[in-house]
Amino acid sequence: MSQALIVIDVQKDFCPGGALAVPEGDTIVSPINALMADAEAVILTQDWHPSGHSSFASSHAGKSPYDMVDMPYGPQVLWPDHCVQGRKGARFHAGLQVDHADLIIRKGYNPQIDSYSAFFENDHATPTGLEGYLKSRGIDEVLMVGLALDFCVNFSAVDAAKLGFKVTVYQDFCRAIDLDGSLDAALSGMKAAGVMLETHNG
Ligand code: VGL
Ligand code: ZN
C-alpha cells in the first residue's frame, strides 16, 4: 500500500490572528512538519477564493458571517472574507515547511461554489483532480491532518472514503471551528463513512 499525507488548509487566515481563525490552529504546525518529513508523499491543500466569493457573508446583502443561505447546491454557511487569492491571509502558515510538498492543490476558486473537500466542490460533483492524481500515483491510502477538522478535513476525509481510499485522520493534528455542534456531527459522519479517527500522540 502506498500512502499520502494530505495537509488541509494550514493557512494564515485559519490561525490565530487570521480572518477565520480556528482556535489553536497554529499549534499543529510543528507536529505536521515532523509528519511531513517522514511521509512517502505529501499533498497540501490551499483554500483559494476570488474576492467577492459567494461563500463570503459580505457578498450577500443583509447577511452576517455564520448565517446560513440556500445555494443551488444546498445549504451553505457564510464566512468572513478569508483566503483571498494573492492576499497574505491565503498564504500557508509561515512555519509550515512547504518544501516537503509534492503537490499543492488549490480549491474554492470558482466564484459561485464553495469547496471544503480536497476532492470535490460543495456540489459533491465537480472534481478538483486530486482523485486522479492519487490514483495515477498508485496511492490507495491517505492520512489527513489540518484545518478545520469539522469542515475541510471532514469533507475531504468523507469523500476520500467514498472514493475507496483507506482514510485515517489524526485528530490531535487537527483543530475545529465547532459551529453549532459541527464538530460532533463531523466526528459521527466520518465514523459512519469508515474514516479511522486516531490520536497520534495519545
Ligand atoms: C474552511 C470554512 C471556509 C476550512 C475553508 O478550511 O475548513 N472552512 N473555508
Ligand atoms: Zn474557504
Side-chain angles (χ1 to χ4, degrees):
M1 269 205 163
S2 191
Q3 191 195 56
L5 170 64
I6 305 184
V7 179
I8 306 285
D9 298 0
V10 180
Q11 292 167 258
K12 286 186 196 293
D13 269 344
F14 296 123
C15 290
L20 179 37
V22 181
E24 299 182 351
D26 54 339
T27 60
I28 62 174
V29 172
S30 298
I32 289 176
N33 285 336
L35 211 56
M36 287 196 289
D38 290 335
E40 272 178 79
V42 177
I43 291 122
L44 308 182
T45 69
Q46 191 172 23
D47 210 40
W48 195 248
H49 300 303
S51 58
H53 191 259
S54 60
S55 74
F56 296 169
S58 62
S59 305
H60 301 260
K63 296 288 183 191
S64 307
Y66 312 107
D67 285 350
M68 296 291 301
V69 285
D70 284 315
M71 295 290 204
Y73 53 85
Q76 169 73 47
V77 183
L78 294 178
W79 303 106
D81 289 24
H82 65 279
C83 298
V84 176
Q85 296 173 0
R87 302 228 186 115
K88 265 195 183 160
R91 293 183 193 162
F92 290 106
H93 184 283
L96 191 73
Q97 282 164 24
V98 295
D99 290 353
H100 288 302
D102 300 337
L103 176 77
I104 296 173
I105 189 140
R106 288 174 167 166
K107 59 184 182 61
Y109 46 72
N110 181 341
Q112 299 306 330
I113 180 164
D114 207 358
S115 187
Y116 295 150
S117 166
F119 293 93
F120 295 101
E121 297 191 357
N122 283 10
D123 59 0
H124 301 289
T126 310
T128 61
L130 183 57
E131 178 191 6
Y133 176 86
L134 294 174
K135 290 191 172 162
S136 60
R137 279 191 65 178
I139 291 164
D140 48 11
E141 185 173 342
V142 295
L143 172 60
M144 288 190 189
V145 298
L147 304 171
L149 177 57
D150 42 348
F151 288 92
C152 291
V153 175
N154 170 34
F155 275 61
S156 299
V158 168
D159 278 349
K162 282 187 190 159
L163 290 170
F165 294 96
K166 183 179 174 216
V167 190
T168 304
V169 170
Y170 282 166
Q171 258 184 270
D172 51 338
F173 285 58
C174 298
R175 288 296 182 273
I177 296 174
D178 203 9
L179 203 64
D180 296 327
S182 59
L183 177 56
D184 283 345
L187 294 174
S188 29
M190 285 189 279
K191 273 181 212 154
V195 173
M196 286 170 293
L197 293 166
E198 293 182 7
T199 338
H200 185 57
N201 295 321

